[in-house]
Amino acid sequence: MSGFRMTTLSTLSLCSFVIMWAIAAGSIGRPDLVPSPLQVVEALKGMLSSGEIVKATITSLGRVVVGYLLGGVAGVVTGIILGRITIIRESFSIIFDVAKGIPPIALVPVVIMWFGIGEMSKWLVIAYVVWVVVTISTLVGAKEVPLIRLRTAEIIGLGPLERLYRVVLPSVVPYALIGLRNAVGFAFVALVSAELIGANSGLGQIIMDSRFALQTDRMVVGIFVLGGVGAICQILFELMERLILARRFQTG
Amino acid sequence: EPVRIFAGSSPTFAPVFVADQQGYFKEEGLEAVVRPFPSGAEAIEGFRSGAADFLVAADVPLSYLLTGGDVVMVAQFSQSSHFMVVVGPKEKMEAADIKGKKIGLVSKSAGEYMLSRFLDSKGLTLNDVERINLAPFDQISALVQGDVYAVSSWKPFDQKMVQLSRGEMIPAAWNGQVGFDIYSGIVAKRELLEKQPETVEKVVRALLKATKYLEKSGGVEANAADLAAYLKAPPADVQSVLETNKWDMHVSKDFLDGMKSVGQFLESQKLIAAPIDWQKAFDWTALKAVDASLVQ
Amino acid sequence: MRVLYAGLGVAIVIAVWQLMANAIAFDMLFPPPRVVGASAYDMIVSGSMTDDVGASLWRLLLALLIGVPAGILIGVAIGWWPIANAIVQPFIRMFNAIPAIALVPFSLLWLGVTEQSRIALLVYTITLTVLISTRAGVRNVSRIKLRAGECLGVRGPQALFKIVLPSCIPAIIIGIRTAIGLGVMVVVAAEMLGAESGVGYRLMQARSQFDTAALMASIIGLGLLALLLDRAFEFAVETLLPRYSTKRRIK
Amino acid sequence: MLAKLWTNFGISNVSKSFGNYPILDRIDLEFNRGSFICVLGPSGSGKSTLLDLIAGFERPTSGAIRLGLEEIRSAGPDRVVVFQDVSNALFPWLTVRENVEFGISRLPRAERQQRVARVLEMVNLANHTNKFPSELSGGMKQRVQIARGLAMEPDMLLMDEPFGALDAITRKKLQTDLKSLWEETGKTIFFVTHDIEEALLLATEIVVLSTGPGARVKEWIRRDQIPQDPATVEYVAMKTRLERALDIDEDH
Amino acid sequence: MLAKLWTNFGISNVSKSFGNYPILDRIDLEFNRGSFICVLGPSGSGKSTLLDLIAGFERPTSGAIRLGLEEIRSAGPDRVVVFQDVSNALFPWLTVRENVEFGISRLPRAERQQRVARVLEMVNLANHTNKFPSELSGGMKQRVQIARGLAMEPDMLLMDEPFGALDAITRKKLQTDLKSLWEETGKTIFFVTHDIEEALLLATEIVVLSTGPGARVKEWIRRDQIPQDPATVEYVAMKTRLERALDIDEDH
Ligand SMILES: Nc1ncnc2c1ncn2[C@@H]1O[C@H](COP(=O)(O)OP(=O)(O)OP(=O)(O)O)[C@@H](O)[C@H]1O
Ligand SMILES: Nc1ncnc2c1ncn2[C@@H]1O[C@H](COP(=O)(O)OP(=O)(O)OP(=O)(O)O)[C@@H](O)[C@H]1O
Ligand SMILES: O=C([O-])O
Ligand SMILES: [Mg+2]
Ligand SMILES: [Mg+2]
């Protein structure tokens, strides 16, 4: 079956879904519970013209970016330390194993308690998840830097610092990138977690607050925008990887 | 089919919990499921989605439900002049201090009304401050961490704020002080009232028993202990609320006036689209059927 | 030796925690390890820990029971038949981009604050995760295996059962493992946003009473629970499916 | 399975293209039953493609491949392939015994067991029946593949660089063993290799393909032309001839 | 780097154990500068271990390895290793040129460039300087490794089955090229292999280790004993002798 026919089939399937949704919404007749596609489009128009959705998107995106950068850097550093220094790994791997099981949403209450309801709390919750995901994969890469690369460094007589940035760091890059790629999705999970409980702005809050007034059309808009922004970030990341890093680091 | 009753989790709505705990619903032959929510505002949403038959909350959140005409208030049962509190920095709650500041509150709760009345007493209006919607427990963090200047909330959260700020934050005003009492009540779907008036009567009768129990039983301390166990909350917190509450199901003129000013407030702030039709908002038939003397 | 090092790590973390608590000197906001330990102890002896963990686990297990077979079934079907995949693919894309936690408000709205609402959300998450992993497994079955099957007289539906399915069991196992991790996240979220039992509910309860010690105890407990579940699953795979064990000696 | 009654195996004027890209160009060969055919050729010349055509995995663009009078149209248990990719060719979830039984599961139990025992004996794996593939060395895995093929009692074994991934000593040993096996069973073997000495050691017929695209038969050396003793001038001359036939001025 | 002034390379009574497990047992050998030493031995006999000792990655349990009078105590740029693991030996994030420059980055720019040009010319890679390892064939990668080694102008090249992972044709070509390179540069080469013919083609000295644990020198064939012409009885006899020395009754 050709790619073209596949695409056609996928498009058809998506269209029939929208039609079925419209029919279902019509027959249920509870626009407050199940809005029709048209209502959702109307809501989107309204939220666009009021600027509300753009503002919320920018707010949420800003949180993701800051949290992601914080967590990404911390994850690479932690991963390399745990991966390269056996004593530290043996001592702290159990602690890390427990930490990595904590759902981000569970952290929201304490983080809010300690850091208030400001941006810092959201950054930390997002950074936490990114940190976990990036650490896990960086650790594998750092632990498994091929012995023969380190031996090459030994022959040449590189010192510890030079070995770190000329051999270990670049060897770890492909692994860290896997973690960073996965972390994009998790950052959005954490964003939603932080915004559903304890936020007064952002996409999560639109979803949460619209619920109180049974404005499901706004909720659906919120969900779709959230999914769309998440998907775009994912795609942008992969593009960046392919354009800038793929040749040197054989990823993607 | 059990009767589902949603409520804010504050001890001010104690009669519902007492009725459940003491088995008064059962005595009426009802199987009742009572579910407490962190705030009345949140309970509204559960009720709206059709998951509940009755909703118990303070007068302000209830008023939001009364705009549609499909929901009626069938009884009220508590009155307090010390329930709502504005908490802020010690000795820094004058008009000049507050103006332009962020104030935390649960939007669509009585906190909004309380803030309005408090600002009024300082010669300010709601437009002079920035309102930040926060769940009650987030208000505590926000205030202590300095994310908001003050909060408009209800008991017992004020005590936690005082404790956690090590006394930096204290109650600046309470509702009696700024000139209003707060009531709580129960609403039902109009459809239910019309189709199964006996169910509504049974619920009201159970509540009446509960208010009487609260007045006559072993005192505030004992009540607080029972209720704390029910709500899984610290007894001291519960007691601090019960101490200032009055339980009574007589429909009084003060209550009717209070509801009307809440309605006017919501309308003037454009928080509701249309004015509440008070003729249709109350329906005391069940209350009358239970005890005609409660309604004059 | 390993245990010794692990003990050392835990000791260091507790010491640092204690030092921080000393510096902050405000138990209500930042309780020291002893206070959190006491809170955990209370939860255990009062039985509330058992109840909460039990409730969350029960939801998770029930959802796994429904979601895992569903995910495998759909995953194999769309991995094997390109047409089925073309039909389902846009939805997988769409839902995969939406964090399941963002759907909690919808599930509360449509199914109410009920057990069904939580289970439905969990089943959704688990099915989607297992399905995606299974589909990848089916697609990655090496062509050589299928060709070997052809030479050995195994083709068509027989190949599906005798070659494809066993080949993608490792992928299915990875999918289930991921699903358990995500399941813990989602069940906690669902319980935090509306439930009357479970670890998530306990967290919210602790939060509304500003019980920092109980909050921290619950959070650490959640980390332990997730780790335990993961190890238990690994152990179950090792003992029940030794053929698919990843620990087998490679020569 | 009754062995089919063919005595010669013909590749008549076979061409194969993928899309517009020609791989094989009018290959015309004929062999007797029981031949040991070795195919040499530069990388990418189409050796594997030719093998796939004989196996029936692919169909020729033009021409036909016949066993006796019957044209090959699909894969079948009379032509079993031994693949080079040791790690993917066996079923890792089955033990050695179960792998060998895979194709003959419909035989009565007694006969099945007897066959498995016989072929495992043939490939010297009688003591490893209950091991899993991951517990075997590369050489042992290839023996299992050969045993699995033999258990089907095929007319023909098709082997695509079966020893290419093994170390020199193991390779040597398996070559000798395969030669004995062939002498013992008289199977027709079609064997693709890169290794000239391997071909000289094993083959009764050697075919060299030219560099693609559109590879043709460059050399076809028949039974009586192949020198058997490496310590002879003829052997060295033949080796040189084959080396020259294979020589290609690519970078390696 | 000034080439050190040694004329002979001695392995004096060297034993090596890992824990209580003996690997090498009293290895005693001596070679002239400029020798091409090939080491054969069954798998696991300790060939790589011996190479690691010479490289200085490991230290002998007893005995000593000396270049002239100086004992080897650590790795150094005078003894460069060419590893078998083609995919990990090069730095995949560096181009061919950058890989070759890796060990000589402290040299002045002009000299560095000149050396890189010279060694890439030597290994026939002058046209591929800007490619990444992932864009090269296995044979080309090994050439880069050799060039990287040569660029450091070492006294000795240590090669651990450098052609073991390559196909037969590529292997043959690299063998010839390495031989010319050795003739041209006069470097001492220590070369581990499994392949008897490879050893016979390249070596001036062949050492065969016995099966471990506790492997000893089983054969040591000196320069004048190694027959050069494959078409002679002596050659075949030597091959048989080495085959017998390597023969082991393990399963492969
Ligand atoms: N399915 C296919 N579609 C398109 N081109 C193909 C396909 N299979 C093989 N080719 C191309 O056909 C040519 C011959 O491939 P083949 O694998 O038969 O070569 P080969 O002689 O076996 O090479 P090697 O020695 O590397 O195994 C190659 O150029 C390859 O890229
Ligand atoms: N670091 C180590 N610790 C313990 N044992 C080791 C270590 N390195 C190697 N060995 C053991 O030493 C023995 C010799 O290994 P070595 O790699 O030197 O053999 P080899 O002759 O190179 O084998 P091959 O031909 O397979 O490459 C093996 O049994 C191996 O398991
Ligand atoms: O909790 C309130 O009912 O406002
Ligand atoms: Mg091939
Ligand atoms: Mg070795």
Side-chain angles (χ1 to χ4, degrees):
Chain A
M1 207 180 200
S2 71
F4 173 73
R5 276 164 70 191
M6 284 297 171
T7 317
T8 315
L9 208 55
S10 294
T11 316
L12 275 179
S13 133
L14 210 54
C15 290
S16 56
F17 168 75
V18 175
I19 293 167
M20 264 151 49
W21 170 15
I23 294 171
S27 63
I28 291 172
R30 283 285 306 270
D32 54 342
L33 286 182
V34 183
S36 71
L38 227 64
Q39 262 176 288
V40 171
V41 172
E42 282 303 317
L44 176 63
K45 271 192 209 155
M47 292 161 86
L48 274 174
S49 66
S50 72
E52 173 189 16
I53 196 81
V54 178
K55 198 168 152 228
T57 305
I58 291 171
T59 307
S60 292
L61 207 55
R63 288 172 181 157
V64 168
V65 169
V66 177
Y68 183 85
L69 290 178
L70 283 176
V73 171
V76 171
V77 173
T78 316
I80 289 180
I81 291 175
L82 288 180
R84 295 302 319 161
I85 308 175
T86 316
I87 288 196
I88 297 190
R89 179 172 63 249
E90 299 261 306
S91 303
F92 291 97
S93 65
I94 182 74
I95 302 274
F96 181 73
D97 282 349
V98 172
K100 79 181 178 200
I102 299 171
I105 199 164
L107 284 179
V108 177
V110 268
V111 168
I112 287 180
M113 221 171 261
W114 290 337
F115 299 95
I117 53 143
E119 293 302 290
M120 181 57 96
S121 297
K122 278 116 206 160
W123 294 338
L124 286 178
V125 171
I126 295 165
Y128 170 79
V129 179
V130 174
W131 171 71
V132 165
V133 175
V134 174
T135 300
I136 290 173
S137 61
T138 307
L139 194 158
V140 173
K143 206 168 124 189
E144 265 141 45
V145 175
L147 180 66
I148 60 178
R149 284 188 201 158
L150 296 168
R151 286 188 159 174
T152 303
E154 208 180 322
I155 290 170
I156 292 160
L158 298 185
L161 211 67
E162 243 186 330
R163 203 168 57 218
L164 177 66
Y165 78 85
R166 290 185 68 186
V167 179
V168 175
L169 259 180
S171 291
V172 159
V173 167
Y175 293 85
L177 281 174
I178 292 172
L180 287 166
R181 194 188 317 143
N182 292 338
V184 176
F186 278 94
F188 276 85
V189 172
L191 168 80
V192 174
S193 302
E195 287 185 344
L196 285 189
I197 41 177
N200 36 51
S201 57
L203 292 168
Q205 216 247 342
I206 288 188
I207 298 169
M208 202 60 182
D209 269 11
S210 307
R211 195 168 69 119
F212 287 85
L214 284 183
Q215 290 169 312
T216 33
D217 47 357
R218 286 167 53 85
M219 289 173 72
V220 174
V221 170
I223 283 279
F224 278 150
V225 172
L226 187 73
V229 173
I232 289 171
C233 285
Q234 201 90 43
I235 290 167
L236 284 180
F237 185 93
E238 278 159 27
L239 212 67
M240 186 247 349
E241 237 185 320
R242 252 209 307 277
L243 290 182
I244 308 174
L245 302 165
R247 221 170 146 228
R248 239 170 228 279
F249 293 100
Q250 301 166 19
T251 58
Chain B
E1 273 287 295
V3 175
R4 295 154 308 167
I5 305 173
F6 285 2
S9 62
S10 166
T12 201
F13 314 123
V16 202
F17 310 132
V18 168
D20 192 27
Q21 199 174 25
Q22 301 293 329
Y24 296 157
F25 293 121
K26 265 202 204 92
E27 285 174 19
E28 295 297 328
L30 285 179
E31 192 197 332
V33 177
V34 175
R35 240 186 72 75
F37 284 77
S39 73
E42 274 183 55
I44 294 181
E45 167 238 352
F47 179 78
R48 280 227 186 119
S49 68
D53 306 301
F54 293 91
L55 179 79
V56 175
D59 46 16
V60 177
L62 289 185
S63 298
Y64 280 94
L65 285 177
L66 298 176
T67 55
D70 55 340
V71 174
V72 287
M73 190 163 183
V74 295
Q76 60 77 41
F77 47 73
S78 86
Q79 177 184 10
S80 172
S81 55
H82 281 77
F83 183 51
M84 305 303 299
V85 276
V86 170
V87 182
K90 209 163 37 177
E91 289 156 15
K92 281 197 180 163
M93 290 296 283
E94 290 316 310
D97 304 317
I98 303 166
K99 202 163 187 301
K101 295 280 167 33
K102 289 180 176 156
I103 312 288
L105 46 74
V106 177
S107 90
K108 299 189 182 175
S109 79
E112 218 154 24
Y113 187 44
M114 173 67 201
L115 179 63
S116 159
R117 299 290 292 253
F118 170 73
L119 292 175
D120 205 26
S121 74
K122 301 280 175 193
L124 298 171
T125 71
L126 281 178
N127 295 329
D128 291 319
V129 297
E130 188 184 343
R131 278 168 286 169
I132 308 288
N133 181 19
L134 292 172
F137 20 82
D138 289 342
Q139 293 169 6
I140 305 175
S141 315
L143 183 68
V144 174
Q145 303 293 344
D147 295 324
V148 293
Y149 188 77
V151 299
S152 177
S153 192
W154 54 84
K155 278 178 189 295
F157 297 109
D158 58 331
Q159 290 181 1
K160 283 276 190 283
M161 296 178 204
V162 175
Q163 272 179 297
L164 266 167
S165 66
R166 309 195 198 204
E168 299 280 310
M169 301 289 166
I170 59 163
W174 54 96
N175 56 327
Q177 194 189 28
V178 295
F180 75 100
D181 279 0
I182 186 137
Y183 296 87
S184 67
I186 186 160
V187 299
K189 293 196 180 114
R190 183 178 297 282
E191 203 184 358
L192 182 79
L193 183 64
E194 281 162 5
K195 287 192 180 144
Q196 294 170 265
E198 67 289 349
T199 304
V200 180
E201 278 169 35
K202 284 173 184 168
V203 169
V204 171
R205 195 171 295 122
L207 285 177
L208 184 64
K209 274 189 208 165
T211 55
K212 294 202 166 129
Y213 172 90
L214 279 163
E215 282 163 11
K216 286 178 191 155
S217 66
V220 169
E221 214 162 307
N223 288 342
D226 288 349
L227 211 52
Y230 181 91
L231 292 170
K232 296 176 186 146
D237 288 359
V238 174
Q239 191 175 334
S240 77
V241 177
L242 294 191
E243 271 163 359
T244 55
N245 255 289
K246 221 176 92 204
W247 313 107
D248 184 2
M249 285 178 79
H250 280 92
V251 179
S252 65
K253 182 168 181 311
D254 284 350
F255 163 70
L256 294 173
D257 290 346
M259 287 302 286
K260 273 177 195 144
S261 37
V262 168
Q264 277 161 13
F265 162 73
L266 296 180
E267 202 188 330
S268 71
Q269 290 297 320
K270 299 205 165 45
L271 290 168
I272 51 175
I276 299 169
D277 179 354
W278 292 109
Q279 295 312 105
K280 287 172 71 181
F282 301 128
D283 191 318
W284 309 127
T285 50
L287 196 57
K288 261 186 207 151
V290 171
D291 180 351
S293 72
L294 292 174
V295 187
Q296 257 81 60
Chain C
M1 208 56 195
R2 274 216 127 95
V3 179
L4 216 70
Y5 277 128
L8 180 74
V10 172
I12 290 174
V13 168
I14 289 180
V16 170
W17 177 0
Q18 180 68 53
L19 287 176
M20 282 171 72
N22 289 350
I24 295 170
F26 196 12
D27 288 8
M28 213 173 152
L29 196 63
F30 193 84
R34 181 179 36 78
V35 175
V36 174
S39 177
Y41 179 78
D42 284 348
M43 287 191 220
I44 293 167
V45 295
S46 72
S48 80
M49 177 83 91
T50 330
D51 293 350
D52 290 324
V53 171
S56 299
L57 269 184
W58 154 247
R59 284 168 190 142
L60 194 57
L61 290 180
L62 189 66
L64 281 168
L65 228 54
I66 306 169
V68 169
I72 294 174
L73 221 67
I74 304 173
V76 169
I78 62 181
W80 193 241
W81 289 291
I83 296 185
N85 185 58
I87 293 171
V88 182
Q89 173 61 16
F91 303 107
I92 295 178
R93 273 264 169 78
M94 186 164 77
F95 287 115
N96 207 27
I98 298 171
I101 290 177
L103 296 177
V104 174
F106 284 88
S107 80
L108 290 175
L109 194 66
W110 287 331
L111 298 169
V113 187
T114 59
E115 207 59 61
Q116 293 93 296
S117 143
R118 288 153 223 150
I119 302 284
L121 200 69
L122 273 173
V123 169
Y124 160 82
T125 310
I126 290 164
T127 307
L128 191 65
T129 312
V130 173
L131 168 166
I132 289 174
S133 180
T134 306
R135 178 178 65 176
V138 172
R139 286 181 170 175
N140 288 339
V141 173
S142 78
R143 192 169 67 163
I144 290 179
K145 282 202 179 60
L146 293 169
R147 285 185 162 184
E150 273 182 53
C151 288
L152 302 170
V154 171
R155 54 173 75 222
Q158 229 194 333
L160 190 61
F161 286 103
K162 289 184 77 174
I163 300 175
V164 175
L165 214 55
S167 289
C168 63
I169 283 181
I172 293 174
I173 289 171
I174 291 172
I176 298 174
R177 206 163 163 182
T178 316
I180 292 175
L182 288 176
V184 171
M185 273 194 200
V186 170
V187 80
V188 170
E191 288 169 353
M192 285 178 81
L193 293 168
E196 56 296 293
S197 61
V199 185
Y201 165 77
R202 175 67 44 204
L203 268 165
M204 275 318 231
Q205 193 73 20
R207 177 191 196 203
S208 65
Q209 284 153 20
F210 234 86
D211 188 346
T212 320
L215 260 182
M216 288 175 72
S218 302
I219 288 172
I220 296 170
L222 263 176
L224 280 169
L225 179 68
L227 179 62
L228 229 63
L229 277 176
D230 192 59
R231 294 279 154 91
F233 179 71
E234 203 184 335
F235 178 76
V237 169
E238 293 289 328
T239 46
L240 299 178
L241 297 170
R243 282 168 186 255
Y244 301 93
S245 156
T246 47
K247 289 200 173 140
R248 213 186 299 128
R249 192 164 55 101
I250 311 282
K251 225 182 187 175
Chain D
M1 248 162 276
L2 199 73
K4 289 196 202 89
L5 294 172
W6 54 272
T7 54
N8 57 345
F9 157 46
I11 299 170
S12 321
N13 224 17
V14 163
S15 296
K16 175 69 183 174
S17 314
F18 285 112
N20 284 327
Y21 189 75
I23 309 293
L24 296 172
D25 182 24
R26 284 165 289 156
I27 305 293
D28 213 43
L29 296 161
E30 179 135 21
F31 310 100
N32 289 332
R33 189 178 189 122
S35 297
F36 197 128
I37 307 141
C38 280
V39 180
L40 292 161
S43 193
S45 56
K47 304 181 292 298
S48 298
T49 305
L50 184 56
L51 184 136
D52 289 350
L53 291 170
I54 301 168
F57 298 140
E58 303 276 356
R59 305 269 295 121
T61 310
S62 67
I65 300 174
R66 289 194 191 80
L67 295 176
L69 293 174
E70 202 181 335
E71 190 173 339
I72 289 171
R73 292 175 187 281
S74 67
D78 58 329
R79 282 156 286 127
V80 173
V81 178
V82 174
F83 300 90
Q84 169 173 19
D85 183 354
V86 200
S87 54
N88 276 316
L90 296 177
F91 303 112
W93 59 90
L94 300 179
T95 61
V96 168
R97 175 198 306 283
E98 289 163 342
N99 262 289
V100 175
E101 278 181 336
F102 189 88
I104 51 169
S105 55
R106 284 197 213 106
L107 290 186
R109 202 179 133 83
E111 189 183 343
R112 203 167 67 216
Q113 286 184 340
Q114 192 198 328
R115 271 211 212 171
V116 170
R118 193 175 67 234
V119 296
L120 284 176
E121 190 65 50
M122 275 182 178
V123 298
N124 278 324
L125 281 176
N127 295 326
H128 302 275
T129 48
N130 291 321
K131 287 194 175 151
F132 284 95
S134 58
E135 295 163 335
L136 305 178
S137 69
M140 289 160 91
K141 281 184 208 166
Q142 285 309 57
R143 288 165 193 270
V144 178
Q145 251 204 103
I146 295 170
R148 183 174 70 183
L150 291 175
M152 309 287 298
E153 302 196 340
D155 289 345
M156 211 188 235
L157 275 180
L158 305 171
M159 307 178 89
D160 194 351
E161 299 187 53
F163 309 145
L166 307 177
D167 69 80
I169 296 176
T170 309
R171 194 158 54 224
K172 192 120 281 168
K173 190 147 170 96
L174 279 190
Q175 284 165 0
T176 330
D177 292 354
L178 180 65
K179 183 139 194 185
S180 323
L181 201 78
W182 169 71
E183 281 161 359
E184 211 175 294
T185 60
K187 299 274 175 224
T188 310
I189 297 183
F190 185 93
F191 189 103
V192 171
T193 178
H194 261 116
D195 187 332
I196 293 170
E197 288 179 44
E198 187 168 70
L200 284 169
L201 173 69
L202 296 172
T204 62
E205 311 258 355
I206 296 179
V207 174
V208 183
L209 295 185
S210 66
T211 311
R216 312 206 48 179
V217 174
K218 195 169 181 187
E219 293 271 8
W220 179 8
I221 293 155
R222 318 298 299 262
R223 166 165 263 135
D224 43 10
Q225 294 171 277
I226 300 174
Q228 290 304 307
D229 186 352
T232 58
V233 181
E234 290 79 14
Y235 184 92
V236 178
M238 178 56 77
K239 212 175 135 182
T240 315
R241 176 174 164 194
L242 291 173
E243 267 165 11
R244 212 160 282 152
L246 282 173
D247 207 14
I248 33 165
D249 36 30
E250 278 182 66
D251 289 296
H252 277 286
Chain E
M1 249 163 276
L2 198 73
K4 290 196 201 89
L5 294 172
W6 54 271
T7 55
N8 58 343
F9 158 45
I11 300 171
S12 321
N13 222 17
V14 163
S15 297
K16 175 70 184 173
S17 314
F18 285 111
N20 284 326
Y21 190 76
I23 309 294
L24 297 172
D25 183 25
R26 285 164 290 156
I27 306 292
D28 212 42
L29 296 161
E30 179 134 21
F31 308 102
N32 289 331
R33 189 177 188 122
S35 297
F36 198 128
I37 306 141
C38 280
V39 179
L40 292 162
S43 193
S45 57
K47 303 181 293 299
S48 298
T49 304
L50 184 56
L51 185 137
D52 289 350
L53 291 169
I54 300 168
F57 299 140
E58 302 277 356
R59 306 268 295 121
T61 310
S62 67
I65 300 174
R66 288 193 191 83
L67 295 176
L69 293 174
E70 202 180 334
E71 190 174 339
I72 290 171
R73 292 175 189 280
S74 67
D78 57 329
R79 281 156 285 126
V80 169
V81 179
V82 175
F83 301 92
Q84 170 173 19
D85 183 356
V86 197
S87 55
N88 279 318
L90 296 178
F91 301 110
W93 59 89
L94 300 178
T95 62
V96 167
R97 175 197 306 283
E98 291 164 341
N99 262 289
V100 175
E101 278 180 339
F102 191 90
I104 51 170
S105 56
R106 285 192 210 112
L107 289 186
R109 202 178 132 84
E111 189 184 344
R112 203 168 65 215
Q113 286 183 341
Q114 192 199 327
R115 270 212 212 168
V116 170
R118 194 176 67 233
V119 296
L120 284 176
E121 190 65 51
M122 273 184 180
V123 299
N124 278 323
L125 282 176
N127 295 326
H128 302 275
T129 49
N130 292 321
K131 286 195 175 151
F132 283 95
S134 58
E135 295 160 340
L136 304 178
S137 69
M140 289 160 90
K141 282 184 209 168
Q142 286 309 59
R143 287 166 196 270
V144 179
Q145 249 204 104
I146 294 169
R148 182 175 70 186
L150 291 175
M152 300 182 66
E153 302 196 340
D155 289 344
M156 211 190 235
L157 275 180
L158 306 171
M159 307 178 87
D160 194 350
E161 299 187 53
F163 309 145
L166 307 177
D167 68 80
I169 296 175
T170 310
R171 193 157 53 224
K172 192 121 278 168
K173 193 151 168 92
L174 280 190
Q175 283 164 0
T176 330
D177 292 355
L178 180 65
K179 185 140 196 183
S180 324
L181 201 78
W182 170 73
E183 281 160 0
E184 210 174 296
T185 60
K187 299 272 176 226
T188 310
I189 297 183
F190 185 92
F191 189 102
V192 171
T193 178
H194 260 118
D195 186 332
I196 293 170
E197 288 178 46
E198 188 169 68
L200 284 168
L201 174 69
L202 297 173
T204 62
E205 311 258 354
I206 296 179
V207 174
V208 183
L209 294 185
S210 66
T211 310
R216 311 205 50 177
V217 174
K218 196 170 183 185
E219 292 270 8
W220 179 8
I221 294 155
R222 317 298 300 260
R223 166 165 263 137
D224 45 8
Q225 292 170 280
I226 300 174
Q228 291 302 309
D229 185 351
T232 57
V233 181
E234 289 79 13
Y235 183 93
V236 178
M238 178 56 77
K239 210 174 138 183
T240 314
R241 177 173 162 194
L242 291 172
E243 267 166 12
R244 212 160 282 152
L246 282 173
D247 207 15
I248 33 165
D249 35 30
E250 279 183 63
D251 288 295
H252 279 285

